[in-house]
Amino acid sequence: MRDSRRSRMVLVLLLAISFALITVDIRGGRNSPVSHVRDWASAVFGPAERGTANAVDPIADAIDAVRDAGSHEDEKKKLEEENAKLRQQLENIALDRARVAEVDKLLKVASAGQYRVKPARVVAVGPAQGFSWTVTIDAGTGDGIKADMTVINGDGLVGRVTSVGPMTATVLLATDPGFSVGSRMAGSQEIGITTGQGDRPMRLQLLNGQAPVKTGDRLVTFGSQGGRPFVPGVPVGEVTEVRSTPGTLTKTLEVRPFVKFTSLDTVGVVVEPPRTDPRDAVLPAPPAPPPAAPPVAPAAAPQPSTTPPATGKPSANGRPTKKPVTPNAAGRD
């Protein structure tokens, strides 16, 4: 249809008629004069409209599914990222709780020994074969750390500082074969030298070869002059084996250290020694002995029978007959 003035006039006229009919229909409501026309049109064109919708709806749904596929993938990826963040947060919470527990245990040990400590974390581990057994901590000269300071944790003696940098320090572990510390037995106060043996138990050599020692005895550090490299009273370990060396006046003892060196994390560097020797105050309470078994009552002795034994030949009914009593001579007439 060509665009002409006449066609435009027809279009305007049709639009005006349409608006007029719509206005009349709305104002008339149910009594509208064009209601019959509207019902007729609905009856005629309704089936065709429904058929067209049924044919077009699957295509429209498919187009919508293809269009929304990208957004679903983006939402799935976003949910996966959120889940990963939540898992990481849970792991961090568990790790933080473990570290808080270690710091709390460290501070309790420092309070019992009257040590002033600088908490630090192990950030690196040195080689264990052919070299020294060492760890690196995240504290240095800026934190007041100096060489030959005692390093502890919530369980006991970790080692001593060997070298210090501005922000880190190297700690020689007590398990190193070149590590030695003066030790004292709890209770008996016997003195000896404890040395590391790598991945084996530590070794204690007592100066008094006749000192009474048994497995389960515990020892602490003896201490050094001025508290360096070792402050007194730090728990070292527990005796697990006692050996007497033939031809010598000393005893060699195997010692299991209190510290678990394979899982070090939070440690404390003693920056100020105690004013007085804490002796055995830092040691944890000894484990309670197992409860004694209840005493077993002795078995009752069998009671003797009061019925006299049966003698004689059996009677006719199978029971034995009593032996007749023979009167003695004094009873005769």
Side-chain angles (χ1 to χ4, degrees):
M1 181 177 175
R2 292 182 298 175
D3 185 12
S4 62
R5 184 173 181 177
R6 186 175 184 179
S7 63
R8 288 196 295 270
M9 291 296 294
V10 172
L11 179 61
V12 170
L13 180 60
L14 291 175
L15 289 175
I17 295 172
S18 298
F19 281 117
L21 292 175
I22 292 172
T23 304
V24 171
D25 188 27
I26 292 174
R27 289 184 176 182
R30 295 183 178 181
N31 299 322
S32 173
V34 296
S35 60
H36 298 289
V37 178
R38 185 177 63 247
D39 295 339
W40 176 82
S42 176
V44 173
F45 295 105
E49 186 177 322
R50 287 194 296 271
T52 303
N54 292 334
V56 173
D57 284 347
I59 300 175
D61 293 342
I63 294 174
D64 292 341
V66 173
R67 182 185 59 192
D68 295 339
S71 61
H72 291 165
E73 288 295 330
D74 295 340
E75 185 176 359
K76 179 180 177 182
K77 185 177 181 181
K78 183 178 179 180
L79 291 175
E80 290 177 351
E81 292 176 353
E82 291 179 354
N83 289 336
K85 290 180 180 179
L86 290 175
R87 285 195 298 267
Q88 184 64 38
Q89 290 177 1
L90 290 175
E91 292 176 359
N92 292 339
I93 290 174
L95 182 60
D96 290 341
R97 288 178 178 175
R99 287 174 177 169
V100 168
E102 289 185 2
V103 172
D104 182 66
K105 194 174 181 181
L106 170 65
L107 295 179
K108 288 180 179 179
V109 169
S111 176
Q114 302 177 8
Y115 313 127
R116 191 165 71 88
V117 300
K118 172 62 180 179
R121 287 183 54 198
V122 174
V123 295
V125 179
Q129 296 181 355
F131 301 91
S132 299
W133 294 61
T134 61
V135 294
T136 302
I137 59 176
D138 60 352
T141 55
D143 303 293
I145 308 300
K146 299 178 181 178
D148 288 335
M149 282 186 170
T150 309
V151 182
I152 64 175
N153 70 355
D155 296 319
L157 180 66
V158 174
R160 63 180 177 87
V161 178
T162 56
S163 60
V164 189
M167 301 178 63
T168 60
T170 302
V171 178
L172 181 68
L173 300 180
T175 53
D176 186 83
F179 184 93
S180 298
V181 57
S183 304
R184 178 175 49 78
M185 301 297 300
S188 66
Q189 310 298 317
E190 294 291 341
I191 300 173
I193 304 297
T194 304
T195 57
Q197 298 190 106
D199 54 359
R200 294 182 299 165
M202 301 178 73
R203 182 179 62 197
L204 170 64
Q205 189 171 4
L206 290 176
L207 301 183
N208 181 9
Q210 304 300 322
V213 184
K214 63 182 183 302
T215 58
D217 287 347
R218 300 179 297 173
L219 61 149
V220 298
T221 56
F222 182 70
S224 308
Q225 183 69 30
R228 295 173 62 179
F230 301 109
V231 294
V234 179
V236 176
E238 179 180 297
V239 176
T240 57
E241 185 179 351
V242 181
R243 294 199 307 268
S244 297
T245 305
T248 63
L249 299 177
T250 60
K251 289 182 179 180
T252 302
L253 295 84
E254 296 288 336
V255 176
R256 177 182 58 82
F258 289 127
V259 174
K260 296 180 180 179
F261 293 94
T262 57
S263 58
L264 286 175
D265 183 38
T266 302
V267 298
V269 182
V270 181
V271 295
E272 184 176 327
R275 295 182 179 179
T276 58
D277 189 345
R279 295 291 178 176
D280 304 335
V282 186
L283 282 170
V296 181
Q303 298 294 331
S305 177
T306 57
T307 304
T311 58
K313 297 180 180 181
S315 60
N317 58 3
R319 296 180 179 179
T321 59
K322 295 184 178 180
K323 185 178 181 180
V325 179
T326 305
N328 53 17
R332 293 179 181 176
D333 294 335

